Amino acid sequence: MPQQLAIILLVDVANALEMKTLEGNAYLFDNMKLHGSEGQGTGELVTAIHGSYWRDGSQATEQVLNWLPYSLGSIPPTVPRGYEAERARQTDREALSELEAMVHKPANQGGDAAAQLSHLQQTLGTRVRSTRRTRGPATQKILDVTGNVISYDGAAAHTYPPPVITDIYGEAVDKKIMYPAEYGSPDMVTDGWYWSATVDSTRPGTYAYTMAVQLHRLLLQGGDWTWEPVDLTCESKLRIVSEPKRNAFTKSGLGLLPIPPA
Amino acid sequence: MAVKPQVSIIALVDVIGALSDRSLLNGNLVLIDDGSFASRAQGTPELCTIVQPGQVVQWTALAVDLQTPVEIRNIEFLRLQPPGQPAYPAPQAGWAAPVAGAHPGMPAPSPAQPAYAAATGHGPGAFPPGPAAVTGAPTVESEKLDLEIWAGMVPYYMVPGVAYRYRLEFQMYEGPYSVLHVETPSLMRI
């Protein structure tokens, strides 16, 4: 059917970074189970694409594929896009008012200044430095998966930026079975950029393709935490079938409508 | 204006709305045609398309949300009733069986079919009987629906001014509640 089809790439980011591979750490889904896609929810997805042709052999339906990368162990992609920046600003404001309270306390009620400073540090969290090379993720401070800033010590659990597909290539592209490209739109999940492809369904067969996926690892560089890009790849397949269009009433050519006589 | 050789009827379906409501009403189905004559009730499930013998009528289903699959599963013209009886009785068992030879390979709808679940007393949440209905496995028919072209020529024996109603059945993905229909649209010969 001439509809847009979705392929979801769900990545266990922490494990993939640790194992330095997407094998066993990527889970693929699509909405083509109805058409016979196989391996849904595994790394071995084969996406079924139903093509059809007219009697003269020309292509009758067009298929559009969209790839959406998601992350396991991250803040859900459904929160507003400015969420992380907003969290960073809010914690700055909280820390400022804490500091104000500290400063305005009478000297004899100072209490334990060290404990207060430690609390202030918790409130402020840890800022991630953005460099030219690592400016990909827009994260301003290190957050946990519930969206709270954390004071990062190199070991705490933290949320990862979602995976980014940076290229789609391989057999299916080389053989001109599909024409992928990255598009921009105000899409909420993928930060405005997504990969999409049109498919030539006139050449049935199974064709492999590779996704280049960029993950990000927290790295201490010159005393600052930065997001270090880590490039990995993930393979998947398209299985294309093509069948002739036919008249639904007659199962062959055009005929009279099956209207019972009055 | 010359009479068009073809009339297109577009069925615009809000699949998520229809599946949530388990109904094609409530604005979940809109029928529109581009006929040469003054068709009635455009934009509603009661569309009456005015046609002329020899014209080709083609039905196409479109989903409002592009990523939701919807196909026309069947179009069945209802029988007109003899004078003195209501124009259209309530659907009865076996009534929708296709005209012999008209749909070879098309199984007759069984009472267990999901579309009739409400009418036969299955409450919400109750699965209709029959293994095929509950497994959700792709059926041959639903897999091949995307190949079907729903088009046919208007026959000459239609009586002018009489609304020939038809049952328009949609398949929305698969599973026990994936089939819904309306019996309100019609064709009328000018």
Side-chain angles (χ1 to χ4, degrees):
Chain A
M1 65 196 87
Q3 68 169 81
Q4 293 203 41
L5 306 170
I7 299 173
I8 305 288
L9 172 67
L10 181 62
V11 179
D12 183 342
V13 179
N15 271 326
L17 285 173
E18 190 161 324
M19 297 166 70
K20 298 185 175 63
T21 178
L22 288 174
E23 205 172 317
N25 297 313
Y27 305 88
L28 290 145
F29 305 80
D30 66 31
N31 59 351
M32 283 149 283
K33 186 161 66 87
L34 187 67
H35 284 177
S37 285
E38 287 167 7
Q40 305 254 8
T42 73
E44 314 294 316
L45 177 74
V46 179
T47 294
I49 293 168
H50 269 200
S52 57
Y53 54 89
W54 301 112
R55 256 189 304 185
D56 65 0
S58 61
Q59 187 174 336
T61 48
E62 187 174 35
Q63 297 294 345
V64 172
L65 303 178
N66 295 305
W67 285 266
L68 298 175
Y70 286 84
S71 163
L72 268 168
S74 290
I75 292 172
T78 45
V79 298
R81 263 176 288 165
Y83 182 78
E84 293 180 333
E86 180 53 43
R87 289 299 296 155
R89 268 198 298 275
Q90 195 185 330
T91 52
D92 283 348
R93 279 197 297 271
E94 282 169 15
L96 263 180
S97 60
E98 262 184 53
L99 189 65
E100 204 179 353
M102 249 171 86
V103 167
H104 286 114
K105 258 180 195 166
N108 59 346
Q109 290 173 28
D112 186 355
Q116 285 178 337
L117 274 176
S118 157
H119 189 261
L120 199 58
Q121 210 167 20
Q122 288 291 328
T123 308
L124 272 172
T126 305
R127 197 168 282 277
V128 181
R129 202 166 61 93
S130 178
T131 66
R132 182 177 291 273
R133 204 160 69 85
T134 61
R135 66 182 170 185
T139 307
Q140 318 246 335
K141 284 186 178 182
I142 301 172
L143 304 180
D144 67 12
V145 288
T146 60
N148 291 314
V149 301
I150 51 170
S151 178
Y152 190 64
D153 57 3
H158 60 83
T159 184
Y160 291 93
V164 180
I165 296 175
T166 55
D167 196 10
I168 292 178
Y169 58 95
E171 185 193 12
V173 181
D174 296 341
K175 291 187 172 167
K176 301 192 191 310
I177 293 300
M178 66 166 169
Y179 297 81
E182 193 175 29
Y183 294 84
S185 84
D187 173 72
M188 289 190 288
V189 172
T190 59
D191 216 17
W193 295 98
Y194 66 97
W195 281 83
S196 191
T198 51
V199 179
D200 175 357
S201 56
T202 61
R203 285 178 291 159
T206 302
Y207 304 92
Y209 69 91
T210 303
M211 286 167 272
V213 180
Q214 191 170 77
L215 306 179
H216 294 86
R217 173 176 53 205
L218 267 181
L219 199 70
L220 195 58
Q221 260 183 337
D224 282 322
W225 289 103
T226 53
W227 288 114
E228 172 77 5
V230 177
D231 292 298
L232 300 171
T233 60
C234 175
E235 191 171 275
S236 191
K237 290 189 175 79
L238 305 178
R239 190 177 58 227
I240 295 161
V241 296
S242 191
E243 290 184 73
K245 282 275 193 186
R246 62 185 182 198
N247 188 282
F249 290 111
T250 65
K251 302 297 173 200
S252 56
L254 184 69
L256 284 182
L257 286 172
I259 298 180
Chain B
M1 191 177 75
V3 174
K4 292 178 190 165
Q6 176 155 335
V7 179
S8 297
I9 300 179
I10 302 287
L12 205 56
V13 186
D14 178 350
V15 175
I16 295 167
L19 291 177
S20 308
D21 288 347
R22 279 194 207 159
S23 169
L24 292 165
L25 304 179
N26 308 332
N28 296 326
L29 170 68
V30 163
L31 295 171
I32 304 149
D33 73 45
D34 65 351
S36 312
F37 312 104
S39 294
R40 297 169 197 168
Q42 293 264 18
T44 74
E46 287 83 40
L47 175 71
C48 177
T49 303
I50 311 293
V51 293
Q52 184 168 287
Q55 274 186 314
V56 172
V57 183
Q58 177 161 347
W59 287 263
T60 310
L62 292 176
V64 177
D65 181 331
L66 291 174
Q67 297 196 358
T68 54
V70 58
E71 301 286 354
I72 295 172
R73 184 190 168 91
N74 197 19
I75 295 175
E76 183 83 43
F77 283 89
L78 307 178
R79 285 172 209 284
L80 295 169
Q81 288 301 105
Q85 291 191 24
Y88 297 98
Q92 293 158 24
W95 197 58
V99 178
H103 309 289
M106 178 70 82
S110 70
Q113 234 176 339
Y116 317 114
T120 50
H122 296 291
F127 284 94
V134 294
T135 56
T139 60
V140 173
E141 303 96 86
S142 68
E143 265 192 7
K144 305 286 180 186
L145 286 178
D146 54 314
L147 299 174
E148 313 264 53
I149 304 163
W150 291 95
M153 221 182 301
V154 176
Y156 287 86
Y157 56 75
M158 278 176 79
V159 179
V162 174
Y164 288 75
R165 287 203 328 203
Y166 55 90
R167 181 206 303 259
L168 182 56
E169 209 170 80
F170 297 95
Q171 174 93 40
M172 287 159 280
Y173 208 67
E174 58 184 29
Y177 302 107
S178 61
V179 181
L180 290 171
H181 72 267
V182 287
E183 294 188 342
T184 43
S186 57
L187 295 186
M188 186 186 281
R189 181 179 168 179
I190 193 165

